[in-house]
Amino acid sequence: VFILSSKSVALFRSMREWWIHVGLICIPLVAVYLHIPPPQLSTALQKWHGAGKVFHFRGFKIFYRDSLGALGSSDVIILLHGFPTSSYDWSKIWDPLTQRFHRVIALDFLGFGFSDKPRPHKYSIFEQASVVEALVAHLGLSNQRVNLVSHDYGDTVALELLYRSDQNRTGRLTLNSLCLSNGGLFPETHHPRLLQMLLKDSSFLAPILTRLTNFVIFQKGIGEVFGPYTQPTDAEFWDMWTGLRYNDGNLVLDSILQYINQRLKHRERWVGALTSTYVPLHMIYGPLDPVNPHPQFIRLYQKLVQRSTVTILDEHISHYPQLEDPTGFLNAYFNFIHSF
């Protein structure tokens, strides 16, 4: 028994020393990883960034693009991006839009893309709507009728802007039309990803998860909401990740994700605005979307929003229709714009 005990003690000491060595190696590696600098901008992102400008909103810098387009047209279009990406989501349809509209405008919401990403900060849909209103005022377009096109997170911002417009709020936008796409308008048909649920609901895990999220995890998560035949290229995945990491954007994901809870809390306000408005409405929908699945989402939309027209794209198009099928998206949108 004594001999066995001695061997056990020796084994325990050996294992303890081994774990100490592992710890001594891992701790600095983890420390380096957690402070790894953000990736460099690709040539394409540099070009997008270089063509943009910045304005100030309540002390924060907001990045935006504003391109003059078609001569002889006075039409203005404003593009509102989704989570967790940026205005660069509109890059594939930007040039065709400039051939139709006098001004094409997009911004990075606070906490996204090239805009400031303050922390700690209570991000909200209401604040993002105020950012859009401030940009419109900054550009001298407060009295101009504008066409809104939105996606995902941007859909909910658009609904708050619609509510303010229909309620004649001070500083409101004057909306000429609204085109939505693949947004979680209805909490009852919205299925957030697992990581989103963990980040929005776990105050203990969230700071750890936001720091540990890396390109591989990000690529897998984003890839799951694209169709199997419309996956981004490696370069496009990397550009999305770079935009997220810019200004340490990964560290504010949990704060931004409170928008999912806000959608539930303010459902009556935002869905009510959608169902009661007389602003021309259209929905462009990628039916393979796992976040807003077919047919439950689109059936509920058509039931509740009877004044809206709808385009359902090809069956292999998923959550990012403007990137997965830019031609189909543009055709649907131009048909809508020319219909009224």
Side-chain angles (χ1 to χ4, degrees):
V1 175
F2 177 77
I3 294 172
L4 288 174
S5 298
S6 298
K7 286 183 177 180
S8 297
V9 170
L11 180 61
F12 174 76
R13 287 177 176 171
S14 176
M15 290 182 65
R16 186 178 64 178
E17 290 174 1
W18 184 83
W19 278 111
I20 290 172
H21 287 134
V22 168
L24 290 173
I25 294 170
C26 287
I27 288 172
L29 287 177
V30 170
V32 168
Y33 170 71
L34 293 180
H35 293 87
I36 192 168
Q40 295 295 307
L41 302 187
S42 67
T43 302
L45 272 186
Q46 286 178 9
K47 183 178 179 182
W48 186 263
H49 183 254
K53 299 176 182 177
V54 165
F55 85 104
H56 288 83
F57 172 82
R58 299 175 184 171
F60 300 121
K61 290 183 289 186
I62 304 296
F63 173 85
Y64 69 95
R65 290 281 313 266
D66 178 14
S67 292
L68 290 175
L71 297 174
S73 170
S74 60
D75 293 345
V76 175
I77 184 170
I78 300 176
L79 309 170
L80 307 179
H81 68 81
F83 175 91
T85 41
S86 70
S87 60
Y88 192 62
D89 290 350
W90 306 109
S91 59
K92 289 187 178 182
I93 64 172
W94 191 265
D95 288 342
L97 288 175
T98 63
Q99 295 169 23
R100 166 61 179 80
F101 290 90
H102 174 57
R103 289 177 82 168
V104 181
I105 300 163
L107 74 157
D108 289 347
F109 290 124
L110 186 68
F112 294 78
F114 295 125
S115 292
D116 278 352
K117 299 170 178 176
R119 66 179 200 276
H121 186 80
K122 290 186 177 180
Y123 291 89
S124 77
I125 295 296
F126 299 102
E127 182 179 48
Q128 304 289 17
S130 296
V131 170
V132 178
E133 290 176 337
L135 174 59
V136 168
H138 173 75
L139 296 176
L141 296 173
S142 295
N143 297 318
Q144 173 80 41
R145 297 181 69 84
V146 300
N147 301 283
L148 280 184
V149 178
S150 58
H151 171 243
D152 183 66
Y153 180 89
D155 280 8
T156 307
V157 178
L159 293 188
E160 173 58 21
L161 291 167
L162 181 65
Y163 177 86
R164 296 181 187 186
S165 176
D166 285 351
Q167 295 293 319
N168 292 320
R169 294 294 183 88
T170 302
R172 70 190 186 280
L173 273 65
T174 305
L175 296 182
N176 189 55
S177 70
L178 170 58
C179 179
L180 306 158
S181 60
N182 286 80
L185 306 176
F186 313 115
E188 58 268 41
T189 61
H190 183 237
H191 297 268
R193 314 310 288 164
L194 175 62
L195 184 58
Q196 291 181 325
M197 297 297 290
L198 289 173
L199 286 173
K200 82 175 183 68
D201 291 331
S202 177
S203 58
F204 172 72
L205 282 177
I208 300 170
L209 292 173
T210 54
R211 287 190 174 273
L212 290 178
T213 298
N214 57 28
F215 175 70
V216 174
I217 295 171
F218 173 81
Q219 183 180 34
K220 183 179 185 300
I222 288 289
E224 288 175 353
V225 300
F226 278 75
Y229 309 115
T230 55
Q231 288 286 303
T233 65
D234 289 344
E236 288 168 345
F237 272 126
W238 194 253
D239 282 342
M240 292 179 189
W241 173 243
T242 301
L244 174 64
R245 283 295 319 277
Y246 193 88
N247 284 341
D248 292 327
N250 55 306
L251 302 183
V252 300
L253 290 175
D254 55 328
S255 300
I256 292 174
L257 275 164
Q258 297 309 307
Y259 78 87
I260 296 175
N261 297 328
Q262 292 163 24
R263 279 175 173 168
L264 182 62
K265 181 178 180 180
H266 302 289
R267 182 193 186 282
E268 184 176 345
R269 175 188 180 101
W270 292 331
V271 175
L274 187 61
T275 57
S276 63
T277 189
Y278 285 92
V279 170
L281 294 172
H282 192 66
M283 166 65 72
I284 300 176
Y285 178 61
L288 202 59
D289 186 356
V291 182
N292 306 288
H294 186 271
Q296 297 95 322
F297 168 79
I298 204 66
R299 282 179 180 169
L300 184 58
Y301 182 84
Q302 290 175 312
K303 177 183 177 181
L304 295 181
V305 196
Q306 296 182 6
R307 293 192 186 96
S308 176
T309 51
V310 172
T311 299
I312 300 177
L313 299 176
D314 290 345
E315 61 183 12
H316 63 275
I317 304 303
S318 186
H319 185 65
Y320 273 87
Q322 75 275 41
L323 291 174
E324 297 179 65
D325 185 11
T327 301
F329 191 98
L330 283 167
N331 287 340
Y333 184 64
F334 288 150
N335 287 338
F336 163 58
I337 282 293
H338 295 147
S339 70
F340 62 89

